[in-house]
Amino acid sequence: MSRQSSFSLRIRLLLIVLLAMLPVLGLLLYSNQEQRRFAISLASEQTLKVARLVSASQVALIEQTHQFLSTLGQLPQIRLGMEPCSAFLQSLQKEYPYYAVINVSRPADGEVICSTLPLPDNVAGQGFFQRTLATGSFTVGDYTLGGAAGRPFLPLSYPVFTEEGLEMVLTAGVDLSWLNRLAASASPANSVILVVDRQGTVLAYYPESSTWTGRNVAGAPVVQLMLGPEREGAAIIAGLQDSERLFAYTPLVEGDDPSSAVLAVGLPLEEAYAEANRLLWTNLAILGVVTTVALAAAWVVGNEFIVQPVNRLIAVTRRLAAGDLQARTDIVGSSEVGQLARAFDEMANSLQRQINQRIEAESESRRYAARTLMLIQVADQLNARLDLPLVLRMLCELAARAFNVTGSLVLLYDEGEDHFYYAAGYGLPAHALSKVQPAPGDSYRQFIETYDLPIVASDTRKLTPLVSSELCQEHDIRTTVTARIAHHQQILGVLVIFTVGESRGFTEEEVGLLGGIAGQAALAINNARLFDQLHASREQLRQLAQQLVNVQEKERRHVARELHDQAGQVLVALKITMQGLEASVPEEMTELQQSFQEALGLVDMVMDDIRSLTRDLRPLVVEMRDINATLEGMCREFSQHIQLPIHYSGQHLPELADSLSLTLYRFLQESLTNAAKHAQASHIWVTMKSEDEEVSIAVEDDGVGFETANRWSTGIGLVGMQERIEMMGGVLVIDSQPGRGTSLVATLPYQEADGNVGV
């Protein structure tokens, strides 16, 4: 074994160790993913708690401001004038730094009486001022950006009343920067705090307040989340600077609209994943140490107990492959490698015998495969044809080409004449082969009954051939091989291959192959004859069925004529007689006159029934020559009779053969009758059309349907339709399911009228 092979085996051993470590690595990675999900869940809860804390502090500050303004409105210092009042308010602002501005305004015009700002704005147009005047109570305004205070704040207003009415309006603007300080003190390191109004404008942002305050960021992903339908929540999403963070958001409660501003606290993902990442790297380091130790042990142990014995086995194998059958491993022991070495030595002892047997078997297998392939090809080509003359011509050509001979011929046995006659040939001129005279049955019978394998006549100049001697002499036919064609011990004929101008020997395999080809030819000839018989039987059956239909239609016509000529005339005479008797009855005998009228009505009813029966027995389809109009009229009359909508769609056709027209008529008649009796349908659709040399008529309904597997057990109607259509060379397709309606489609070959009237 080469150094490279030994190294490759060691590498495989090490790979096995590494593969054993893969599940451990997968478990570590899976555990890390679980830890990361848990860390995100925990961080989401903590961050949401911070956001809720800030929101709650906002509510508390609003309530505190309410108390502050209420107390301030009772102090006399705010009524001392502008300068003393402003100085007093500025001193209060120092004690309460979370107020950006404190104002005292006149309710009449919104003019600021005193303020912590040097140049305060008039507040008459401010929403919070107007709401305070309208409600007469403490009011929370909308978040305000800038203004005279120069920073965003939340205005809170309180009206001060005296006995004379509203005296003044006190306003305190809560500085939003306190939110940054509060959230920063309660949030983890490197967190961001964002406050936006419902329009997406930044009211506060920590730690870069001056950069973002006042900017509209409604398109930022985190802002879209904050302004979404959920009131509060947490998600990993991009912030204002496009870096992903874990954001938790909740509304800042204020005034009449608690959702006018939303607060979000963003935590860096690395802070959330810090503990999970630390555990992962620690576990990976431990796994690396364990893997290194296992690899070193596998290297040492594998070299001693696996690599060296395998090297010896490989060396002996190479000697054996080079032809040294005396090579042995000489490895002892009960280990797996020792058992393998003993098995290898036993294999060397029998290897030579197996090689010889294999060579012989391969040779036989190739011969058998070639023979089988030849027979399969012959069978495929012969069985693909059902025309007997074509099958015989193809057989002769295939046989001549298969054995590379000049030609071949087939003689078939005529049992009635008891002779073999020429049926097909290949390789000689047609006029020469056609001169082959029938041979008496005795000339082949002994050969056929005695030999299973073909008979070889190596030289017809010295042996009497089984084929015509005149043909052999005229065309110098030298060698012939004759095989019998038999099917189930019944002689069908013989297959002869021959050479011209030179003699040739044939091996046993070639002779056997010719016998196999003759066997396949027997099957093909028998199939072709059966097909011819089947075709003739079908044609005879069709003619008999057609004659039966002709007789039926003739009898129907006879019955219809008898009903019309005999019963019809009798009923007409009866009606005239009864009308005469009715006229002779005195007018005062009203009851007798009424009886005559009822009797005349019954006569009319019977006459109508006879006319309908006559029309059914002998329809006008033959005389009218317009099958489309006839079928449409039948549908119209049937619809009126059974009070069921029948929708007909057809196309005008040239004059059809009487048998085809009657078949279409009877099919529609039977189909409509079955639908009326059994379908329980609310609509019936009839379609008649002609295309591709065929005429088809379809009858469909939306009734209860039935199981098509049981269609023949419902009566003889479907059976009769099937037989009548098939004897016309057509096909009937029945499609139905319980609850899904029924479809009957009859397709028949197109036949034009031949000038005959009637059937």
Side-chain angles (χ1 to χ4, degrees):
M1 185 176 183
S2 65
R3 180 179 299 275
Q4 182 178 1
S5 301
S6 300
F7 186 76
S8 176
L9 182 57
R10 292 187 180 93
I11 292 300
R12 291 188 179 95
L13 293 173
L14 298 182
L15 286 176
I16 293 175
V17 175
L18 292 177
L19 288 175
M21 294 298 174
L22 284 180
V24 180
L25 177 60
L27 181 61
L28 289 179
L29 296 177
Y30 175 76
S31 299
N32 178 255
Q33 291 298 321
E34 292 297 319
Q35 291 169 355
R36 289 167 72 92
R37 281 194 287 269
F38 178 75
I40 286 296
S41 177
L42 183 61
S44 299
E45 293 179 1
Q46 293 176 347
T47 307
L48 190 57
K49 287 180 180 179
V50 172
R52 290 170 177 167
L53 173 63
V54 175
S55 179
S57 300
Q58 170 82 340
V59 175
L61 182 58
I62 291 174
E63 182 58 29
Q64 179 181 342
T65 303
H66 186 185
Q67 298 297 329
F68 170 75
L69 294 178
S70 176
T71 304
L72 181 63
Q74 299 175 10
L75 298 179
Q77 287 88 338
I78 62 174
R79 296 174 176 83
L80 298 178
M82 182 175 182
E83 292 184 0
C85 176
S86 296
F88 176 70
L89 294 180
Q90 291 171 358
S91 64
L92 288 177
Q93 187 181 30
K94 294 178 181 179
E95 296 181 16
Y96 302 98
Y98 38 79
Y99 292 130
V101 61
I102 303 175
N103 289 337
V104 178
S105 307
R106 285 198 301 264
D109 54 5
E111 189 66 28
V112 178
I113 301 173
C114 58
S115 173
T116 57
L117 299 177
L119 296 174
D121 296 329
N122 188 289
V123 297
Q126 299 296 327
F128 66 87
F129 183 78
Q130 296 295 331
R131 286 198 294 271
T132 302
L133 295 180
T135 61
S137 61
F138 177 74
T139 302
V140 180
D142 298 326
Y143 287 96
T144 303
L145 291 173
R151 48 186 171 172
F153 62 89
L154 176 65
L156 307 174
S157 297
Y158 180 79
V160 178
F161 289 92
T162 61
E163 295 179 355
E164 289 78 10
L166 181 60
E167 179 184 8
M168 62 184 67
V169 176
L170 305 181
T171 302
V174 178
D175 189 354
L176 293 184
S177 62
W178 76 273
L179 294 175
N180 294 341
R181 294 190 295 271
L182 177 61
S185 63
S187 302
N190 300 321
S191 298
V192 298
I193 295 91
L194 172 65
V195 180
V196 297
D197 61 13
R198 299 306 297 181
Q199 286 71 41
T201 302
V202 178
L203 303 177
Y205 187 79
Y206 174 83
E208 301 177 11
S209 177
S210 60
T211 303
W212 294 99
T213 301
R215 293 175 58 178
N216 188 285
V217 292
V222 65
V223 176
Q224 293 179 357
L225 177 67
M226 295 166 64
L227 301 180
E230 297 294 333
R231 180 176 177 83
E232 66 177 15
I236 298 177
I237 197 169
L240 298 185
Q241 298 176 337
D242 295 331
S243 60
E244 286 193 341
R245 291 174 176 265
L246 174 61
F247 279 95
Y249 62 94
T250 188
L252 284 175
V253 181
E254 59 162 283
D256 297 330
D257 184 9
S259 60
S260 62
V262 185
L263 166 73
V265 178
L267 178 67
L269 294 180
E270 54 270 18
E271 294 291 337
Y273 292 141
E275 181 62 20
N277 291 338
R278 185 189 66 78
L279 291 175
L280 175 63
W281 287 113
T282 300
N283 292 333
L284 289 177
I286 296 174
L287 179 61
V289 173
V290 173
T291 303
T292 302
V293 173
L295 291 174
W299 184 276
V300 175
V301 175
N303 183 69
E304 180 67 23
F305 295 100
I306 299 178
V307 175
Q308 292 182 4
V310 170
N311 285 341
R312 293 185 62 183
L313 279 171
I314 293 177
V316 173
T317 302
R318 289 178 176 172
R319 290 172 57 192
L320 191 63
D324 185 7
L325 299 179
Q326 303 299 322
R328 297 295 183 269
T329 62
D330 296 329
I331 297 177
V332 296
S334 59
S335 64
E336 287 80 0
V337 177
Q339 295 177 12
L340 176 62
R342 286 195 300 272
F344 184 86
D345 294 340
E346 294 173 359
M347 178 192 68
N349 294 330
S350 61
L351 181 60
Q352 187 64 42
R353 296 192 303 271
Q354 294 178 2
I355 289 175
N356 294 336
Q357 294 173 359
R358 185 184 63 185
I359 292 174
E360 183 179 353
E362 287 179 352
S363 178
E364 179 65 23
S365 177
R366 284 194 294 270
R367 291 194 299 269
Y368 180 78
R371 177 180 175 180
T372 303
L373 179 61
M374 173 65 70
L375 291 176
I376 291 175
Q377 292 175 346
V378 170
D380 288 343
Q381 296 188 50
L382 293 181
N383 292 328
R385 306 291 189 273
L386 292 174
D387 182 11
L388 183 58
L390 178 60
V391 169
L392 296 178
R393 289 195 300 272
M394 184 178 295
L395 171 62
C396 293
E397 182 177 355
L398 290 174
R401 293 182 182 276
F403 296 97
N404 194 25
V405 296
T406 305
S408 64
L409 56 88
V410 173
L411 302 178
L412 294 182
Y413 178 63
D414 186 342
E415 187 175 2
E417 299 291 338
D418 190 25
H419 66 211
F420 290 83
Y421 64 92
Y422 168 76
Y426 175 80
L428 291 179
H431 66 85
L433 293 173
S434 63
K435 295 179 181 179
V436 178
Q437 297 298 319
D442 293 339
S443 62
Y444 285 97
R445 186 168 291 111
Q446 183 179 2
F447 154 71
I448 290 172
E449 294 176 351
T450 304
Y451 301 99
D452 290 332
L453 294 176
I455 296 299
V456 180
S458 58
D459 193 341
T460 60
R461 293 173 299 178
K462 300 177 181 180
L463 299 173
T464 301
L466 292 175
V467 297
S468 172
S469 299
E470 295 79 6
L471 183 67
C472 294
Q473 294 174 2
E474 181 179 355
H475 295 281
D476 195 17
I477 295 177
R478 297 287 181 90
T479 302
T480 64
V481 184
T482 306
R484 69 174 183 174
I485 302 175
H487 182 71
H488 295 312
Q489 303 303 320
Q490 180 183 1
I491 302 303
L492 303 180
V494 292
L495 169 64
V496 183
I497 61 174
F498 56 84
T499 63
V500 173
E502 59 179 359
S503 300
R504 170 184 164 181
F506 288 86
T507 65
E508 292 184 2
E509 292 182 2
E510 290 178 320
V511 172
L513 178 59
L514 181 62
I517 293 177
Q520 296 297 329
L523 293 175
I525 293 172
N526 187 66
N527 290 339
R529 287 180 171 177
L530 289 176
F531 178 77
D532 291 341
Q533 294 173 5
L534 178 62
H535 182 72
S537 298
R538 286 183 175 177
E539 179 61 23
Q540 184 179 11
L541 179 62
R542 191 193 68 80
Q543 293 177 0
L544 291 175
Q546 185 62 49
Q547 292 176 8
L548 176 61
V549 171
N550 293 343
V551 170
Q552 290 176 344
E553 292 299 333
K554 183 177 180 180
E555 184 63 23
R556 287 181 176 181
R557 182 175 58 185
H558 175 71
V559 172
R561 184 166 56 250
E562 290 296 326
L563 285 174
H564 180 271
D565 295 343
Q566 298 296 327
Q569 293 177 5
V570 171
L571 288 173
V572 170
L574 176 62
K575 182 178 180 180
I576 294 173
T577 301
M578 292 183 67
Q579 287 175 343
L581 292 174
E582 180 187 13
S584 64
V585 174
E587 294 182 357
E588 60 272 10
M589 301 178 68
T590 57
E591 293 182 358
L592 183 58
Q593 289 182 347
Q594 181 67 26
S595 298
F596 271 109
Q597 292 176 359
E598 292 177 357
L600 288 172
L602 291 175
V603 172
D604 290 337
M605 183 182 302
V606 172
M607 293 177 67
D608 291 339
D609 290 341
I610 288 179
R611 280 194 294 270
S612 177
L613 181 59
T614 302
R615 186 167 53 252
D616 290 339
L617 289 173
R618 181 57 182 170
L620 298 178
V621 59
V622 176
E623 287 76 7
M624 292 180 63
R625 300 297 184 184
D626 188 350
I627 184 64
N628 183 52
T630 302
L631 298 183
E632 184 176 10
M634 182 199 296
C635 292
R636 182 169 54 253
E637 294 179 4
F638 210 90
S639 176
Q640 295 173 355
H641 178 67
I642 64 175
Q643 297 299 308
L644 181 67
I646 299 178
H647 311 280
Y648 178 81
S649 174
Q651 67 180 81
H652 177 72
L653 299 178
E655 185 176 338
L656 302 179
D658 294 346
S659 58
L660 177 57
S661 297
L662 281 171
T663 300
L664 295 173
Y665 183 90
R666 295 301 184 196
F667 169 76
L668 180 58
Q669 187 179 47
E670 182 67 25
S671 300
L672 293 179
T673 302
N674 285 344
K677 289 182 178 180
H678 309 295
Q680 302 178 26
S682 58
H683 291 272
I684 299 177
W685 294 268
V686 179
T687 304
M688 193 270 291
K689 60 182 179 180
S690 174
E691 58 183 1
D692 298 331
E693 301 299 327
E694 292 181 336
V695 178
S696 65
I697 179 169
V699 181
E700 302 178 24
D701 63 65
D702 56 359
V704 296
F706 59 90
E707 291 287 352
T708 56
N710 302 325
R711 62 184 181 273
W712 306 125
S713 63
T714 58
I716 63 173
L718 290 177
V719 178
M721 281 194 288
Q722 179 95 9
E723 293 177 348
R724 182 157 189 166
I725 291 171
E726 289 183 351
M727 74 182 183
M728 291 291 296
V731 177
L732 174 61
V733 178
I734 303 174
D735 183 16
S736 181
Q737 294 181 12
R740 302 285 296 275
T742 302
S743 172
L744 304 177
V745 181
T747 304
L748 298 103
Y750 184 86
Q751 301 177 20
E752 292 186 353
D754 55 5
N756 296 326
V757 179
V759 177

